[in-house]
Amino acid sequence: MSKHIENLLAKIETYCKGRGIKTSTFGKLAMNDGKFVQRLKDGGSVRVETIDRLETFMSSDEKAA
């Protein structure tokens, strides 16, 4: 697993823990895909555009909270 994906997964885990949600819920909310995070953990790849989308989702939620 690449360092970028490891870092992304760590951010997602922190985000989920802070909100008391499962990673599958995060996937549904952020990507409309409840299995997204599990596929990353299983070695799936992710495009730069997708990382940007996830970062935007997490940071915009931070501002709303």
Side-chain angles (χ1 to χ4, degrees), residues 28-62:
K28 289 176 193 171
L29 294 172
M31 301 299 297
N32 199 29
D33 179 359
K35 296 182 180 182
F36 174 78
V37 176
Q38 187 58 51
R39 277 198 293 279
L40 284 181
K41 289 178 180 179
D42 291 341
S45 62
V46 63
R47 298 183 335 203
V48 172
E49 294 85 1
T50 303
I51 294 172
D52 290 344
R53 180 176 169 186
L54 291 168
E55 295 281 354
T56 299
F57 174 82
M58 289 187 281
S59 68
S60 67
D61 186 54
E62 289 284 329

Side-chain angles (χ1 to χ4, degrees), residues 11-12 19 25 34 41 54 57:
K11 288 180 184 179
I12 291 170
R19 281 154 190 76
T25 302
K41 289 178 180 179
L54 291 168
F57 174 82

Side-chain angles (χ1 to χ4, degrees), residues 3-31:
K3 192 68 171 169
H4 293 293
I5 292 180
E6 286 179 19
N7 289 339
L8 178 61
L9 285 170
K11 288 180 184 179
I12 291 170
E13 293 285 344
T14 300
Y15 178 92
C16 291
K17 194 174 209 176
R19 281 154 190 76
I21 63 172
K22 296 179 180 181
T23 56
S24 59
T25 302
F26 172 84
K28 289 176 193 171
L29 294 172
M31 301 299 297

